[in-house]
Structure formats: structure tokens, C-alpha cells
Amino acid sequence: MIHLNSQAKGPLLDRTLESFLVNTEGVIFRYLFIMKKISQVKRQSKNNL
């Protein structure tokens, strides 16, 4: 009985999890990109001193 219930919820949970992961992946990628840019700018400003 429990197995049937979890199976019924499965696809919805999978879709929610999938969209969450896709969104999180985008956020993490953007965050890393921004951090990389910041470190490049910091390095450039050190070189200019």
C-alpha cells in the first residue's frame, strides 16, 4: 500500500526535484561566473599597483 502511494507521488516529486535542480544549477553557475569575474578584477587591480 505504501509502495503504491509513493509511486503515485513519484512523477510529481521527480518533476519538482528536476526543476529545482535545473534552477539551482543555473544559480550556481551564475554565482561561480560572478566569483570568477571578481577574482579576475582583484588580480588586475593588484597588478596595476
Side-chain angles (χ1 to χ4, degrees):
M1 195 66 185
I2 293 166
H3 183 66
L4 287 175
N5 285 342
S6 65
Q7 229 177 6
K9 290 177 190 168
L12 180 62
L13 184 63
D14 286 349
R15 274 200 301 272
T16 306
L17 189 61
E18 190 182 355
S19 64
F20 170 75
L21 288 174
V22 166
N23 291 337
T24 307
E25 191 181 14
V27 169
I28 291 170
F29 179 76
R30 250 176 266 139
Y31 173 76
L32 290 173
F33 181 75
I34 290 167
M35 293 308 286
K36 193 170 130 186
K37 284 283 180 201
I38 289 171
S39 67
Q40 284 174 352
V41 169
K42 282 182 181 172
R43 243 182 282 133
Q44 284 175 352
S45 63
K46 279 182 189 172
N47 291 343
N48 292 339
L49 291 174

